[in-house]
Each structure stands twice: as structure tokens, then as C-alpha cells.
Amino acid sequence: MKKSIPNPLAALTALTLCLWVAQAQAGRPLAVDDANVNEKGAGQVEVWVSRDSDKVDTWNVAPAFAPIEGVEIGVSYAKARRQGHAEQAIQAKWRITPSQENGCNVASTLGSVHEKSVGSSPFLVGILTCNSALGSVHVNLTRHNPKDEKSFNSWGVAFEREVGVVTPHVEIFGDEGGKPTLQFGAKTEIAEGLQLDGTVGRDRQNKANVFSLGFKYSF
């Protein structure tokens, strides 16, 4: 993790006034979250564009900051280019047990998605991460409570491993009762604190390809 720079909390607070998290936000480029958080006083800003199975491009901004040890507050804003559709939300992630270099730890994320004319929909994520010399495995189970709709679960499993200056990953995730998405991705640091990342995948439910490309700045 990177050391904090002067007034990072003030900068994040300003962003929070207009940004919320569009969904349970995992660390780029993973869709499946890991059970880690930033160190106290450190944060990040992620910016990326993604294309879904309907060939709609969505722009995303997601800053996060750890005000205290073991807790990270995240916000994000997502806007689909074609429809002008936007979603916002906020989430808090708690690392329940310490991260293990060789072993497992758990975390949980609680948040709420907000969409204009729809309202707010809360979600709760249980997260497990296991690290070893072979790489890291992440497992997610999420409970969604959509506004005026039936609650449902989603799940995800990811594996990533550092290979030189690049960290590739493979993951599979989906909603209960539906066909999952299989996705591959990679990340690399192109400058101090600046990460370039991307993913390509196949949405089996809608029989279409999906992808994303983005940057992450850590402070």
C-alpha cells in the first residue's frame, strides 16, 4: 500500500458529495472482491470503461479511503453512455480478520445502490481470501435486496497470481439461477502508484462478450 499524501480525506470527502457506489465494488480489475482493505490513511481512485452484453459502454469512477485500520469507505458513479443511465451508491468494507501471507482471512461489505426514479437497494457481501505461494483465491457471496423486487443472491470465485510485473487473473461469477460470466484480466504498474488494467470475458447468460479497460491511482 502507498503512504498517504496531504489532505487525502478532504479530497475524498469532496468527491463523496456527488459520487456513490454503483455496485459492490471490487478492486480493479477483479469483479470478485478480495478480503483486504487499504492501510489506515491510504486510498485509491479507479477509473474505467466497460462494455456489457448489450454492447453498452459504461464509464465508472470509484474512489476509496481507509479512515481507520481495517475499514475502507468506497464511493462510485457509473453512467451508461447510450441511455444516459446512471447509478450511485456507497459502501463500507470491514476486514474482519487480519490478512495472511499464507492462509485465509475474511471481510464483509455493506452498501446501498441508488438509482433515480427507482430508489435505494441495499446489499451485503461475505468475502473470503486465501493466499499461498501459488497465488490468491477470492470467494464472494452477496445478498441483494432490490427496491420493490424479490431479494436474490449472487456469487463469485477468482484466482490471481503475480507473474513478474504483471498480475493476471481468472474469475467466474453470476446470479443464482442464471448462467455465469467467465472473465480473464491482468494489471500492471506503469508508474509510481499508477496501475493499468483490463478484462475480457464471456457472459453465458446473454451469450455475449464483455470487456473493460481502466486505471487505478493509489495514494
Side-chain angles (χ1 to χ4, degrees):
M1 297 293 180
K2 308 298 180 184
K3 294 182 179 180
S4 61
I5 60 175
N7 299 320
L9 183 56
L12 183 62
T13 301
L15 283 170
T16 307
L17 295 176
C18 60
L19 300 178
W20 302 72
V21 178
Q23 56 189 345
Q25 179 55 45
R28 285 287 304 165
L30 288 162
V32 178
D33 205 1
D34 62 73
N36 300 310
V37 297
N38 283 307
E39 294 178 356
K40 178 182 177 181
Q44 65 199 38
V45 178
E46 299 172 334
V47 180
W48 74 99
V49 61
S50 58
R51 173 166 290 189
D52 63 19
S53 57
D54 293 324
K55 297 183 179 180
V56 175
D57 296 331
T58 299
W59 290 93
N60 305 266
V61 179
F65 181 76
I68 61 176
E69 188 66 31
V71 176
E72 183 178 279
I73 306 300
V75 296
S76 172
Y77 177 84
K79 184 176 179 63
R81 182 177 61 84
R82 185 182 299 174
Q83 295 98 333
H85 165 80
E87 289 184 336
Q88 305 124 11
I90 187 168
Q91 67 180 33
K93 184 178 178 182
W94 174 34
R95 187 184 60 207
I96 301 171
T97 59
S99 300
Q100 304 290 327
E101 185 175 346
N102 286 285
C104 302
N105 74 291
V106 295
S108 183
T109 296
L110 176 65
S112 181
V113 179
H114 179 79
E115 184 178 347
K116 187 177 180 180
S117 302
V118 175
S120 298
S121 302
F123 59 85
L124 177 65
V125 190
I127 309 167
L128 171 69
T129 288
C130 293
N131 300 312
S132 72
L134 297 177
S136 299
V137 175
H138 313 298
V139 180
N140 291 182
L141 180 60
T142 305
R143 182 66 172 177
H144 303 269
N145 187 19
K147 179 74 172 179
D148 300 325
E149 294 182 24
K150 183 179 179 181
S151 298
F152 68 96
N153 298 321
S154 63
W155 58 273
V157 180
F159 172 77
E160 61 177 339
R161 181 180 182 181
E162 187 174 339
V163 182
V165 298
V166 177
T167 302
H169 79 267
V170 58
E171 57 188 337
I172 185 169
F173 52 90
D175 297 333
E176 63 174 325
K179 295 181 179 179
T181 295
L182 177 63
Q183 188 162 271
F184 300 88
K187 62 183 179 182
T188 187
E189 189 173 60
I190 58 176
E192 181 66 25
L194 184 61
Q195 171 185 295
L196 172 65
D197 52 58
T199 62
V200 292
R202 180 70 177 178
D203 180 346
R204 295 182 60 233
Q205 180 69 28
N206 297 300
K207 299 180 180 179
N209 297 325
V210 293
F211 76 86
S212 72
L213 181 65
F215 293 89
K216 173 181 174 180
Y217 173 67
S218 300
F219 55 85

